[in-house]
Amino acid sequence: MKKIVCDNYDAMCRLAADRILDAVRSNPRAVLGLATGSTPIGVYELLAEAYRAGTVDFSEVVTFNLDEYYPISPDNRQSYWYYMQQNFFSKVNVRPENIHIPDGSAADAALACRAYEAAIEAAGGIDLQLLGIGQNGHIGFNEPGKELYAATHVTPLTEQTLRDNARFFSADEVMPTQALTVGVGTILKAKSILLLANGKNKKAAVARLDDGMLDPAVPATFLLGHRDVTVICDREAV
Ligand code: PGA
């Protein structure tokens, strides 16, 4: 695991965006694993800027998002489907049929999870996976526990995650208490992984990556078992 400490959030985003742009330029059919939350917003802005400047083409790129609230409809402005349209897909030329986000409106969540895992396999697996990290050490919505799921699954959200994400919801919006998320095994199958962490509230979780122990109570530590992970953080997160 390689760790790069950047001066600030903008520099982190520049570095991560450049890694993604390199991946797409060298393989226009790259399969990208994408993340939501506040952390990657600056990265999506830079990718959109590169697209507007004509220096990258996303028309053959295939994307798989990490997770989605459950249950939630795609047109709910709190859905990750909505987030991705707002922050990225509406600004670039990823083809709609190449976009995959776990189906938060599926009647049968377990079936939707199996289909999602199969779609990732059918696409040949993820080439480059972008990740954030929760204060509780979650990646995707793989929440701390005694055991972790390998594959895409339905999960209750922990109290910590509900508290952390409550900031995105207004008083009249109901926050789902469950989610669909790719599993830790799904993430570890990606060829290359970028984990972004900024701000002092991420410091404790990032520090646990230095311990060298795989601990299901801090799901991100399982990334220590992967051969190509780059942690990109700002000074406050280390
Ligand atoms: P954040 O969330 O980017 O909003 O801090 C990260 C995560 O929960 O993975």
Side-chain angles (χ1 to χ4, degrees):
M1 180 176 283
K2 192 168 153 195
K3 193 193 285 174
I4 301 175
V5 183
C6 298
D7 281 340
N8 53 44
Y9 176 71
D10 288 350
M12 267 176 61
C13 291
R14 182 76 266 165
L15 193 59
D18 284 346
R19 287 279 295 265
I20 296 168
L21 291 169
D22 285 349
V24 173
R25 286 173 187 141
S26 63
N27 174 13
R29 297 180 170 212
V31 180
L32 302 179
L34 298 178
T36 51
S38 55
T39 309
I41 286 179
V43 177
Y44 293 133
E45 277 169 11
L46 291 170
L47 296 180
E49 195 177 288
Y51 172 69
R52 282 194 299 275
T55 61
V56 67
D57 174 19
F58 292 101
S59 64
E60 299 296 324
V61 163
V62 174
T63 68
F64 286 90
N65 265 77
L66 282 168
D67 47 20
E68 177 60 285
Y69 288 115
Y70 188 80
I72 201 160
S73 77
D75 57 3
N76 184 318
R77 51 185 289 280
Q78 291 297 346
S79 73
Y80 287 161
W81 194 93
Y82 192 91
Y83 168 108
M84 288 305 298
Q85 297 300 324
Q86 292 290 108
N87 290 299
F88 187 50
F89 294 135
S90 64
K91 301 176 179 176
V92 296
N93 65 336
V94 180
R95 295 212 307 265
E97 63 270 32
N98 288 348
I99 295 170
H100 304 84
I101 299 177
D103 184 2
S105 62
D108 185 336
L111 189 66
C113 290
R114 284 199 296 280
Y116 201 71
E117 195 71 30
I120 295 174
E121 293 255 321
I126 288 164
D127 294 310
L128 179 60
Q129 175 69 58
L130 184 63
L131 293 177
I133 183 170
Q135 286 197 65
N136 64 0
H138 74 196
I139 45 175
F141 275 135
N142 291 281
E143 297 283 44
K146 287 203 199 70
E147 292 156 332
L148 298 174
Y149 279 86
T152 306
H153 60 285
V154 192
T155 179
L157 298 173
T158 59
E159 286 299 322
Q160 170 87 53
T161 296
L162 293 170
R163 263 198 313 276
D164 288 347
N165 286 8
R167 71 189 195 276
F168 299 116
F169 288 75
S170 59
D172 59 338
E173 289 175 321
V174 179
M175 188 175 174
T177 56
Q178 296 182 86
L180 309 182
T181 182
V182 301
V184 172
T186 323
I187 292 171
L188 290 174
K189 279 193 234 166
K191 293 186 189 79
S192 184
I193 298 175
L194 295 180
L195 182 140
L196 309 186
N198 67 300
K200 52 183 186 311
N201 60 336
K202 300 295 172 68
K203 191 175 171 151
V206 171
R208 290 299 309 274
L209 301 174
D210 295 329
D211 298 345
M213 309 269 286
L214 307 191
D215 180 357
V218 186
T221 58
F222 278 67
L223 297 173
L224 291 163
H226 191 281
R227 71 169 75 136
D228 185 3
V229 179
T230 306
V231 178
I232 301 177
C233 42
D234 70 355
R235 294 197 184 286
E236 288 190 332
V238 289

